[in-house]
Amino acid sequence: MRRPSLPAWAAAALAAQLWLAADAQAAASFDAATRVFRLDGGRVTYAFGVNEAGQLQTLHWGGRLADADPLGPAKSLPSHSSFDLSASITPQEFPAQGGGIFTEVALKIAYADGNRDTVLRYLSHRIERDALTVRLRDVALPLEVSLRYTIDPDTGVVGRSARIENLGSAPLRIDQAASAAYTLAPQDDYRLHHLSGRWAGEWSLQQRPVSEGATVLESRRGSTGQQNTPWFAIDRAGSGGEDNGPVWFGALAWSGSWRISIDKDPLGTVRVVGGFNPYDFAYRLGPGESLDTPVFYAGYSDAGMGGASRLLHRFERDHILPGDGKPRLRPVLYNSWEATEFAVDEAGQMALAEKAARIGVERFVVDDGWFGARNSDKAGLGDWTVNRAKFPDGLKPLIDKVHGLGMEFGLWVEPEMVNPDSDLYRAHPDWVLNFPGRPRTPARNQLVLNLARRDVRDHVLQVLDTLVSDNDIQFLKWDYNRNWSEPGWPQLAPEDQPKVYVEYVRNLYWILAELRRRHPRLEIESCSGGGGRIDLGIMALTDQVWPSDNTDPFDRLSMQDGFSHAYAPAAMMAWVTDSPNWVDRRETSLEYRFLSSMQGALGIGANLNHWQDADFATASRMVAAYKQVRATVQQGDLYRLISPANGSRRSATLSVSPDRRQAVLFAFLHSQSKGMQEPAIRLRGLDPGRRYRIARLGGGALPEAMPAEASGAYWMERGLAVPMRGDFQASGFVLEAK
Ligand code: DGJ
């Protein structure tokens, strides 16, 4: 698992600064007198102490404190009554099931002799500048837990994970293992934000009070899932909003079954515990063995939900996405799926490629249907050899053609799956997840290969390595179109089989990492029937993600808004497709579709064979305009000016480049009502003292009353009157500093 790290040059510069500034400035520190640990980064301080009972007790997670501020010593809370004991209500960094704890725990262990009690105490620690490891040990048994903490000096995002080690001579069983427990001090008005959805309906932003009782966000599916995403944010109803107030947020870097529970205890303390989902979970640790949890990242902003997502986006670009802190700008992509579905062939793809090149596309991607007996979703999955009826001379003529047109070539794969009607399944029916003698439940006519098996893992790597080595391929769209059923691993002892929840994902990460190591210029997209596998774990190994199969440009506005709360536009693909769109049969103009998709990484998925000259002209103009602003859109600061949620009449976003010299406004009128003129849209994030010239994105005259140039202060105070009338109207503007 990748941990937050700085690019080498920045790490060296930081180390030098810290050296000069003496130890008090170090990002991670320990005060031996009070036994308090502190992590300081950006505008955040995270602190916890060793209390008199030897527990690690949370002291502060919030705004940056002064160096000498008194934080400890930590003192456990007295028992509230004989029903709520001290151990249960004291906010602990890593509470284990034992000693009378009823609040949510991070660890639950069962021993062969029937003991299910674990009580952890501080043992020792190690500090390395912006990282800290604290060892805990059970009061009686040779069980150790090492808690690893990092803090990003720039954003203050904390990363936490745990290693659980069996130092005894008998095996034990881990029934529950979280990465971290984060605690918020009691307040009456905490409000939880999270994202929910379903296939073709991902990224709905939800909000609810944090009240007594637990809210559980989870996936039990073997992968991240569309239904919840492993992210949360908590603000305060009394003072919070998009632009102001404190926000505590977090995201779990894990692409398997996961759980984040948010729970308010009887005294009002809020615990957010996240890690492996305990549902159907068990992990047997033999003597000397250990289990590492994924990293659960957490951050704090005092600038509202907008400030929180800008911090998280920056952290993702700097420390999660491939590219060592400088993720490559996403090329404009064409994908043939919505145009052809399974009916791909050499001539058809070449014709589409020629048309795509005409409008400035930089990467041409052939989707499903190019391999095996894959003429529908009923057969062929698993047989990764080119279908010679469709590509008589293999992929080379098409790839050469695409390259000759000046584009990169990309290919769709779904390597973790198999159709029962395939040569692979006929040869290896035992390679899928299954319980012997039980039905194997198909979904989309396919079964899941058990990637946790070493032979399956090696086979998948070899297939992909051969594909990329034998063909000049720059990009893979890596799909995953179902969740698990019958998660058996019959080759292991029954008590070890649930390890599949961990080992499958580890092997998935291993394959991705190894493939990238062997092919350093290869880029990969994470797709799972849309946004079913998007999280900080997979994003560390893939360059972009496919948020949804729903490409309706109006639906996408609210989905992109939801997505942007957790994940960076730098990785968010958005295609321009046909109108009426297949999802809602909604008709929209080509310009509207472009402006909706230009808020992320632009792709085109329309059937170009149906386009007229005027469409090609519009598309060429919009693609060229996008290339002028994509660095700002993908890697700038995103301001959600007007939310599209809750039936709002209009919506708007603004992206501002890091140097504040360029800003890009996207504005949409969803449905005009009663002839109302919409109020001016006030911008944010500009330099008030600079002058900015404004132009329409994609060309065209400015609205009559709009000044061609004004100060940042003007655009932020007085705003832009964007004259849109009718339904599904869109306007884009670009502001350039003089
Ligand atoms: C689901 C993906 O989300 C689509 O974009 C497409 O690639 C299909 N799978 C192909 O089967």
Side-chain angles (χ1 to χ4, degrees), residues 636-660:
D637 280 334
L638 175 70
Y639 293 85
R640 293 179 292 255
L641 301 179
I642 305 172
S643 163
N646 305 323
S648 109
R649 279 197 317 272
R650 58 183 187 148
S651 62
T653 63
L654 183 79
S655 303
V656 181
S657 64
D659 63 4
R660 298 200 286 174

Side-chain angles (χ1 to χ4, degrees), residues 8-26:
W9 60 267
L14 181 75
Q17 279 168 23
L18 291 173
W19 178 255
L20 291 174
D23 264 356
Q25 298 297 313

Side-chain angles (χ1 to χ4, degrees), residues 337 367-368 374 412 444 477 479 481 527 529-530 546 549 575:
W337 173 247
D367 210 278
D368 200 347
R374 188 75 170 168
W412 179 96
R444 208 193 189 210
K477 171 176 170 178
D479 209 344
N481 277 301
C527 169
W546 180 230
D549 278 356
W575 299 349

Side-chain angles (χ1 to χ4, degrees), residues 199 202 226 335 337-338 341-342 367-369 371 374 377 381 412-414 444 446 477 479-481 525 527-531 546 548-551 575:
W199 175 77
E202 298 90 337
Q226 278 127 333
N335 179 295
W337 173 247
E338 288 200 18
E341 296 210 342
F342 297 97
D367 210 278
D368 200 347
F371 54 91
R374 188 75 170 168
D377 61 18
L381 214 45
W412 179 96
V413 289
E414 191 176 3
R444 208 193 189 210
Q446 62 196 54
K477 171 176 170 178
D479 209 344
Y480 180 88
N481 277 301
E525 173 175 288
C527 169
S528 173
W546 180 230
S548 182
D549 278 356
N550 184 340
T551 53
W575 299 349

Side-chain angles (χ1 to χ4, degrees), residues 412-433:
W412 179 96
V413 289
E414 191 176 3
E416 300 153 79
M417 299 286 171
V418 67
N419 285 125
D421 185 0
S422 68
D423 293 342
L424 184 71
Y425 188 74
R426 282 184 279 275
H428 299 286
D430 56 325
W431 276 12
V432 299
L433 294 174

Side-chain angles (χ1 to χ4, degrees), residues 77-86 89 266-267:
L77 303 188
S79 296
H80 176 67
S81 68
S82 55
F83 299 99
D84 287 303
L85 301 181
S86 170
I89 56 177
L267 300 192

Side-chain angles (χ1 to χ4, degrees), residues 51-72:
N51 68 20
E52 78 295 344
Q55 298 158 337
L56 285 192
Q57 182 174 339
T58 312
L59 295 171
H60 180 77
W61 171 29
R64 183 96 179 224
L65 302 176
D67 287 349
D69 278 345
L71 275 168

